[in-house]
Amino acid sequence: MPSAQRDQEQPPDGEPHPEGRSASETLESVVIRFAGDSGDGMQLTGTEFTAAASFAGNDTVTFPDFPAEIRAPAGTLAGVSGFQVHFASRSIHTQGDLVDVLVAMNPAALAKNLPGLKPNGLLVINTDAFSARNLKMAGYDGSPVDDDSLADYQVFPVDLTRLTRDALADTDLTAKEVERSKNFFALGMMCWLYDRDLAVPIDGIARRFGGKAKERYRDANVRVLRAGYDFSENTDLFRIRYHVPRAPIPAGRYRNVTGNEAVALGLVAAAQRADRPLFYGSYPITPATEILHQLAAMKHFGVRTFQAEDEIAAVAASIGAAFGNHIAVTGTSGPGLALKAEAIGLAVMVELPMVIVDVQRGGPSTGLPTKTEQADLLQALYGRNGESPLPVLAARSPADAFDAAFEAVRVAVTYMTPVILLSDGSVANSAEPWLIPQVEDLPRVDVPDLDSADGLGDAGFQPYARDAKTLARSWPRLGTPGLEHRLGGLEKWDGSGHISYDPENHQHMTGLRQAKIEGIADDLPPLEVIGERDGDVLVVAWGSTWGTCLTAVQGLQALGRRVSYIHLRWLNPLPKDLGPLLGAFRTVLVPEINGGQLYRVLRGHFDFNGRAFNRINGLPLPVGELEGAILDCLTD
């Protein structure tokens, strides 16, 4: 983590500062949401504020909320873009339920996001955007700034657009270019209000607008940023300034990372530790596309990226890369996973190592491209014809996505199987601090390599001869004399790999493929139980619900409730010690952002007293709602 927050004098909390300056108050955590039109730069504003909070030593979790329309009409509810950042002086795991501060750049942003603002929360409004036309598009009959509809909040009306024009009045920028800088005025205000160092966003602006051609935009944005900061310093708009101390984060080198960035880094790290080049075949699809963007910039690590014409071509090319001894990966979202299903079945049949990254979004069909949902668990487990078992694991957070991707590659090559790695829109686009590991501390990825025909005996090369422990077949080096063989989608004869329609052989090979996947459970560590190993309620979850579940359970444990928590990384095979743990609790609660997919899977494997808790609204699970569901279990 960068250096500590700069020292400065602080008066006692709640007391006026000497020389008439604002009072100061220390807070443990704050949630801010920046909201405006999709062209207002809210994602950039939130990203730069997050960087400033991380630099100050806070723990951070973010949640970008993109509009579903590619370019909805300006000023409409459909075009609202939001960025929520939760920063704290303690360890945090969620983006926060309700927000403490809402920065609304126009009426539509206010209308869409006001229900998420806490009572008495701070509401900063760009009054210049509250024209009659914009108010009408947002569904307002009149300006809420002028009536008592906002009486439950601390309202701070600011002429952001006019003040931005004033700050850039002597520049040669066009009126449109000037107006596009107003997001940095809002950022400057928030940096002052929460005592963030302007050097951090200034460095970010310099990186984003580097080069002679963009110098005028760099200088303009820095000027507007400082103007917003100085405006807050020199006016009586905010009577209290807030301070969020450093969080007790373990020492090390950190960077903010999104889930998609972490997946890309994990794949490259695993390929390096396997001494194999990485091939990534993908067709662009939201919210997985950023993985392709990240990997395309890593050619110096032996990465080859292929943007295919469609999903089927992408997965087929990846299978070919696996045959050619690459660490082969294809990425997609739910609709693309459905299109890849037949080819994934081919990879199961030929037993080649491959990772399929599924960044889930709301469904069905094209569904909700920019929203999150744990939509594809059943598809990942069963969405192929015939008996087509393969391992399935899920990332739980942006930083964890690195470890999940690394583990997916390790299992794929160790057991010579395709592996599905589940992420989702929340994990993919959110960001949090990630402790950068030392490369030498990462485990080696052992490859079942075969680069010579020497010593194979009279029978010669047997493509389906297996390792006694893992049941994995070998991975012959392509082009090696004596290791020539054919692969295809028709059933294979055990050992030789010849085409077979023999009923007994098909039964045998189906059992072998299943046993190989089930055997991965022997390689899994014991489950970690947060809390006691028996009690009243056990929460069992997977994927991006981790932060919500952990926060809710720990909060209730602090109140003396007998609640425990298990988070599943592996969804196929399931951990061997899961069944006994489920039976040790009076009630098992399974929270998911779907209709109860894991709940159905667990019901099919184990006998336990349980219930599902489901939300399918394109948003992360709120901590408060989950706490209520757990309390209902405790009182039943």
Side-chain angles (χ1 to χ4, degrees):
M1 183 77 60
S3 61
Q5 179 172 326
R6 55 194 170 91
D7 295 332
Q8 76 180 70
E9 296 180 2
Q10 293 287 341
D13 289 351
E15 294 185 8
H17 201 289
E19 302 176 3
R21 289 157 62 188
S22 300
S24 176
E25 183 176 329
T26 297
L27 301 175
E28 185 181 58
S29 68
V30 176
V31 181
I32 300 177
R33 174 171 278 250
F34 298 92
D37 189 74
S38 58
D40 283 339
M42 295 296 92
Q43 306 303 320
L44 175 58
T45 306
T47 298
E48 291 300 336
F49 187 88
T50 302
S54 297
F55 185 90
N58 301 134
D59 196 8
T60 59
V61 177
T62 70
F63 179 66
D65 188 13
F66 303 101
E69 301 295 332
I70 294 175
R71 189 64 177 93
T76 63
L77 292 173
V80 173
S81 177
F83 190 103
Q84 186 163 312
V85 54
H86 184 190
F87 60 106
S89 60
R90 54 178 170 79
S91 179
I92 54 175
H93 310 289
T94 75
Q95 77 283 349
D97 286 2
L98 298 176
V99 301
D100 300 289
V101 185
L102 172 61
V103 178
M105 302 298 284
N106 62 17
L110 176 65
K112 187 170 183 179
N113 291 281
L114 188 61
L117 181 62
K118 292 178 180 178
N120 202 41
L122 278 62
L123 177 57
V124 178
I125 293 177
N126 176 23
T127 52
D128 287 324
F130 278 60
S131 64
R133 179 176 179 272
N134 286 346
L135 287 166
K136 183 177 180 181
M137 284 194 295
Y140 288 111
D141 294 328
S143 176
V145 181
D146 299 330
D147 57 34
D148 61 356
S149 60
L150 303 178
D152 292 336
Y153 312 101
Q154 300 181 57
V155 182
F156 300 94
V158 181
D159 300 333
L160 278 173
T161 306
R162 178 186 62 79
L163 291 166
T164 300
R165 292 193 192 110
D166 291 346
L168 300 177
D170 60 344
T171 67
D172 60 354
L173 297 176
T174 67
K176 185 176 181 180
E177 289 171 335
V178 168
E179 186 166 342
R180 290 181 64 182
S181 297
K182 65 180 180 292
N183 60 315
F184 282 104
F185 197 98
L187 177 59
M189 293 176 64
M190 291 300 103
C191 285
W192 181 89
L193 185 60
Y194 290 99
D195 198 19
R196 307 292 90 170
D197 193 339
L198 283 188
V200 179
I202 288 173
D203 287 345
I205 292 170
R207 288 192 302 271
R208 188 170 296 272
F209 298 96
K212 190 72 175 177
K214 297 181 180 179
E215 189 176 85
R216 55 205 292 266
Y217 302 122
R218 180 199 65 199
D219 293 344
N221 287 326
V222 169
R223 184 190 291 193
V224 172
L225 175 74
R226 293 188 182 280
Y229 190 94
D230 292 341
F231 172 81
S232 302
E233 173 74 18
N234 296 319
T235 67
D236 291 330
L237 183 69
F238 301 117
R239 299 300 299 170
I240 298 178
R241 194 179 193 187
Y242 300 99
H243 174 69
V244 181
R246 291 176 57 86
I249 298 174
R253 189 182 181 194
Y254 287 79
R255 60 167 285 187
N256 272 344
V257 68
T258 67
N260 278 343
E261 291 170 342
V263 165
L265 292 167
L267 294 173
V268 172
Q272 291 287 305
R273 299 302 283 169
D275 292 325
R276 288 287 187 277
L278 175 70
F279 178 90
Y280 187 80
S282 182
Y283 176 75
I285 181 170
T286 302
T289 306
E290 185 60 27
I291 300 174
L292 177 61
H293 294 168
Q294 293 291 321
L295 290 173
M298 298 185 185
K299 293 181 177 64
H300 53 294
F301 288 119
V303 176
R304 294 175 173 88
T305 52
F306 171 57
Q307 181 174 318
E309 65 269 28
D310 56 43
E311 295 283 2
I312 299 171
V315 65
S318 299
I319 293 173
F323 184 64
N325 307 115
H326 284 61
I327 300 299
V329 188
T330 186
T332 189
S333 188
L337 186 64
L339 292 168
K340 296 178 188 289
E342 183 182 5
I344 295 172
L346 170 62
V348 171
M349 175 63 76
V350 298
E351 300 186 45
L352 282 172
M354 181 173 67
V355 175
I356 304 104
V357 181
D358 175 16
V359 187
Q360 302 163 98
R361 70 192 201 190
S365 188
T366 46
L368 303 172
T370 64
K371 307 304 178 184
T372 192
E373 186 175 322
Q374 293 178 304
D376 303 334
L377 176 57
L378 295 182
Q379 183 180 192
L381 293 173
Y382 308 121
R384 294 164 296 283
N385 63 301
E387 303 300 321
S388 304
L390 49 73
V392 178
L393 75 162
R396 70 185 191 185
S397 71
D400 179 66
F402 175 90
D403 296 325
F406 193 101
E407 179 72 355
V409 172
R410 185 191 70 81
V411 169
V413 298
T414 300
Y415 291 89
M416 289 294 287
T417 178
V419 174
I420 292 181
L421 169 60
L422 295 175
S423 177
D424 64 33
S426 176
V427 170
N429 296 319
S430 298
E432 66 180 352
W434 171 55
L435 178 60
I436 302 173
Q438 297 295 319
V439 175
E440 58 272 16
D441 293 337
L442 296 173
R444 294 288 308 169
V445 177
D446 295 324
V447 177
D449 201 13
L450 185 61
D451 58 3
S452 173
D454 296 341
L456 293 178
D458 295 338
F461 176 52
Q462 298 284 293
Y464 284 82
R466 300 178 183 277
D467 179 271
K469 180 179 182 295
T470 65
L471 299 182
R473 73 180 189 88
S474 61
W475 198 8
R477 288 275 186 166
L478 193 64
T480 302
L483 301 183
E484 299 88 351
H485 64 290
R486 295 181 301 170
L487 291 178
L490 294 174
E491 180 64 280
K492 304 295 181 284
W493 192 271
D494 188 19
S496 69
H498 297 318
I499 294 172
S500 171
Y501 295 100
D502 180 81
E504 294 302 320
N505 179 73
H506 180 54
Q507 179 77 49
H508 174 65
M509 292 296 282
T510 299
L512 275 178
R513 288 189 289 265
Q514 182 66 43
K516 180 173 70 170
I517 304 307
E518 290 176 352
I520 296 172
D522 296 330
D523 196 22
L524 303 182
L527 285 168
E528 179 186 5
V529 181
I530 308 298
E532 301 297 325
R533 299 183 73 85
D534 58 22
D536 293 327
V537 177
L538 175 65
V539 176
V540 180
W542 66 281
S544 64
T545 57
W546 171 74
T548 295
C549 294
L550 181 63
T551 303
V553 168
Q554 289 183 333
L556 291 173
Q557 287 175 345
L559 299 176
R561 306 287 185 154
R562 297 190 67 210
V563 180
S564 298
Y565 174 42
I566 290 174
H567 194 85
L568 298 178
R569 161 156 287 172
W570 282 99
L571 302 158
N572 191 44
L574 291 167
K576 288 187 169 183
D577 52 345
L578 178 57
L581 285 167
L582 295 178
F585 288 81
R586 182 167 60 86
T587 304
V588 176
L589 182 67
V590 185
E592 298 179 81
I593 311 175
N594 58 38
Q597 296 185 27
L598 176 62
Y599 184 74
R600 289 181 176 88
V601 171
L602 296 179
R603 278 294 191 198
H605 283 82
F606 308 107
D607 182 20
F608 61 94
N609 179 40
R611 65 175 67 175
F613 174 72
N614 306 113
R615 291 290 182 271
I616 318 176
N617 56 8
L619 297 171
L621 285 181
V623 173
E625 289 189 22
L626 180 56
E627 287 177 340
I630 298 172
L631 289 172
D632 288 344
C633 293
L634 288 167
T635 56
D636 286 351

